[in-house]
Amino acid sequence: MLKAVKVRIYPTVAQQVHLAQAFGCVRWVWNQSLATMTATYQETGKGVTAMTMKKSIPVWKAEFEWLSECYSQCLQQSVLNLGVAFGNFFDGRSLYPTFKKRQGKQSIQYPQNVKILSDREIKFPGKLGVVKAIVHRDIEGKVKTVTLSKNPDGRYFASMLLDDGTESPESSSDGNIIGIDLGLTDFAVTSNGSKYQHPKATQKHEKNLARKQKKLARKKDKTTNKSRKAKLAVAKVHSKIKRVREDFLHKLSRRIVDENQVIVVENLAVRNMVKNHCLAKAISDAGWGMFCTMLKYKAEMVGKIYLEIGRFFASTHLCSNTLKPLPKMDLSVRAFDCPHCKQRHDRDINAAINIKNEGLRVLTLGTSVIAPEGYVRPKQYGRKSTTVAAVVVEGRSPHSTRSRVSVW
């Protein structure tokens, strides 16, 4: 089974200079390959494979001697990664590849020959050599690919892909099942009534961020040392916000996975939701997509089930007791009296229970209540999703509240 471990490394000044050159070489090869592949397709209507572009690297090295400063396999891996990016684009999983800039995060990838000497040292091939590191956990298995990166705040990390030689555990649904409704008032509300407040990292640090950004904006010449220091200060605040958010998401996802066997969430269209200018900042700060990703890989590692239900399932507008439709409610309504069962429901807990029940239906029956009249939008080729496609049934489901839906 493949696992990834990310550790922080501390290169020397000479090693930092070498890494800066390597980042530039890898970035140049990516941009040059992307420009060549795009121009070739526009002129001839035919694409260029990554293996073909790899043959251009020796030619580029002969023309530009500074490319030899970078480890050869890192340059080759850059072209292969571009081929994967094009594959994701044609399969509908991502947008068209873009050119890389010198600003922002930089990374190179070592496909092999990386050795962990101890919990304080990692040996990289080529001119980089032995780099100090803090390996905070036991490394079990064979080291395959290592991605070395530099964040905008100046910190260096090495992400190691490990193969421990074991097979992934078989999934089992025996145990507790939980439905999770993600929101903004409460980050997550579970079907058992638990509510978790998210840290709102951006809101807590926005004054400090605004102060540092104002200092950077006052710098007229962006090439001076003072401007670089001001830019680094802004990057450190952003890094702090990111770490606070990730720390909360990791702890909450680990707790939910440890306590439950089946985890059911909604497949939210975050890209569409952030188009609401009033809520875009809060939605981006919440990190719903990252949280679902953490739940998914942590559950699969221990043989538990992570399930996403269709985004068109009306979890908020169904009574969890009777499954009858409810009148539409404004976002300010946090609790309501059901006109069918005459009970008072918490809006979010009611939605979480409906999500849990929908997940049970999908697991046991293999069908969803939101596939009326056999209308199912065709599944995109190559799209990876944990959502189970609905089985086409005859006639309208008695509990459906929509006339047109799609289930991925």
Side-chain angles (χ1 to χ4, degrees):
M1 184 168 59
L2 298 177
K3 298 181 180 179
V5 176
K6 188 176 182 180
V7 300
R8 187 173 179 183
I9 60 175
Y10 297 87
T12 62
V13 176
Q15 290 173 336
Q16 291 180 18
V17 173
H18 173 73
L19 285 176
Q21 295 174 344
F23 291 147
C25 293
V26 170
R27 184 177 61 249
W28 187 90
V29 169
W30 170 286
N31 293 340
Q32 187 71 12
S33 302
L34 177 58
T36 302
M37 297 170 76
T38 303
T40 303
Y41 180 79
Q42 291 176 350
E43 294 174 0
T44 64
K46 297 181 180 180
V48 182
T49 63
M51 298 304 296
T52 303
M53 290 305 307
K54 280 180 61 176
K55 299 178 182 179
S56 302
I57 295 179
V59 179
W60 293 337
K61 280 187 174 182
E63 184 178 358
F64 306 100
E65 296 182 359
W66 44 268
L67 281 177
S68 301
E69 296 294 327
C70 181
Y71 187 54
S72 59
Q73 293 189 5
C74 294
L75 300 178
Q76 297 171 9
Q77 194 64 35
S78 176
V79 179
L80 295 179
N81 291 341
L82 179 59
V84 174
F86 270 107
N88 292 333
F89 166 71
F90 289 119
D91 286 349
R93 290 189 294 267
S94 63
L95 300 177
Y96 192 83
T98 59
F99 293 103
K100 292 187 176 181
K101 299 180 180 180
R102 183 172 58 183
Q103 297 80 10
K105 183 178 180 180
Q106 304 293 324
S107 66
I108 56 175
Q109 199 171 52
Y110 292 87
Q112 58 183 358
N113 299 329
V114 177
K115 298 180 181 180
I116 302 176
L117 303 181
S118 65
D119 59 349
R120 296 293 179 182
E121 290 181 335
I122 300 177
K123 183 178 180 180
F124 292 89
K127 299 181 180 180
L128 185 58
V130 179
V131 180
K132 293 183 179 180
I134 297 181
V135 184
H136 57 282
R137 62 180 63 186
D138 296 334
I139 303 300
E140 299 177 355
K142 180 181 178 181
V143 179
K144 297 181 72 65
T145 302
V146 178
T147 302
L148 197 154
S149 60
K150 178 187 178 182
N151 288 351
D153 61 352
R155 299 189 303 165
Y156 293 82
F157 292 91
S159 180
M160 299 176 288
L161 182 64
L162 308 175
D163 186 3
D164 57 7
T166 61
E167 296 183 357
S168 302
E170 296 183 0
S171 300
S172 173
S173 59
D174 297 335
N176 296 331
I177 180 171
I178 189 173
I180 304 176
D181 178 59
L182 301 176
L184 295 177
T185 303
D186 299 294
F187 174 79
V189 179
T190 63
S191 55
N192 56 21
S194 300
K195 295 185 176 182
Y196 300 96
Q197 300 287 334
H198 57 80
K200 297 183 180 180
T202 302
Q203 181 178 343
K204 291 182 179 179
H205 296 86
E206 62 181 356
K207 290 185 178 180
N208 186 25
L209 180 61
R211 184 166 55 249
K212 300 295 175 57
Q213 288 177 332
K214 188 177 294 185
K215 290 182 180 180
L216 176 61
R218 290 196 185 107
K219 309 298 181 184
K220 295 182 180 181
D221 188 358
K222 302 300 181 182
T223 61
T224 61
N225 287 333
K226 290 185 177 180
S227 297
R228 295 190 185 97
K229 290 181 180 179
K231 186 176 181 179
L232 181 62
V234 173
K236 288 183 177 180
V237 178
H238 280 294
S239 178
K240 175 66 175 179
I241 295 172
K242 178 183 177 182
R243 295 199 305 272
V244 171
R245 184 187 300 114
E246 287 183 347
D247 179 72
F248 167 76
L249 297 179
H250 272 298
K251 291 179 179 178
L252 179 58
S253 59
R254 172 52 58 192
R255 178 177 178 178
I256 292 176
V257 170
D258 290 343
E259 295 177 353
N260 303 277
Q261 184 66 25
V262 181
I263 303 164
V264 187
V265 298
E266 280 186 299
N267 181 15
L268 298 175
V270 180
R271 183 178 295 179
N272 296 333
M273 298 172 69
V274 294
K275 294 178 181 179
N276 184 339
H277 300 292
C278 298
L279 300 176
K281 186 176 180 180
I283 292 174
S284 301
D285 187 30
W288 293 333
M290 185 185 299
F291 178 67
C292 292
T293 301
M294 292 179 181
L295 285 176
K296 184 176 184 295
Y297 80 77
K298 290 178 182 178
E300 291 177 349
M301 287 177 60
V302 292
K304 299 186 178 183
I305 296 178
Y306 169 84
L307 179 65
E308 290 182 359
I309 65 172
R311 64 184 59 169
F312 294 101
F313 176 66
S315 58
T316 304
H317 299 100
L318 287 178
C319 174
S320 57
N321 291 336
T322 63
L323 288 183
K324 293 183 178 180
L326 299 171
K328 289 189 177 181
M329 297 173 289
D330 189 75
L331 289 176
S332 60
V333 179
R334 310 314 305 172
F336 62 93
D337 294 320
C338 177
H340 307 292
C341 64
K342 308 302 181 183
Q343 294 184 6
R344 187 165 185 81
H345 296 282
D346 182 279
R347 177 194 183 107
D348 298 326
I349 297 177
N350 176 75
I353 295 175
N354 285 328
I355 293 172
K356 171 186 173 182
N357 294 337
E358 174 69 0
L360 282 173
R361 279 189 290 270
V362 172
L363 285 176
T364 56
L365 303 177
T367 185
S368 169
V369 301
I370 60 170
E373 300 175 355
Y375 177 86
V376 179
R377 184 182 300 175
K379 184 177 180 181
Q380 290 183 2
Y381 171 76
R383 182 180 178 89
K384 294 183 178 180
S385 175
T386 58
T387 307
V388 179
V391 177
V392 178
V393 294
E394 296 181 359
R396 178 186 296 273
S397 172
H399 303 308
S400 176
T401 60
R402 292 178 181 266
S403 58
R404 290 190 64 188
V405 295
S406 66
V407 181
W408 295 107

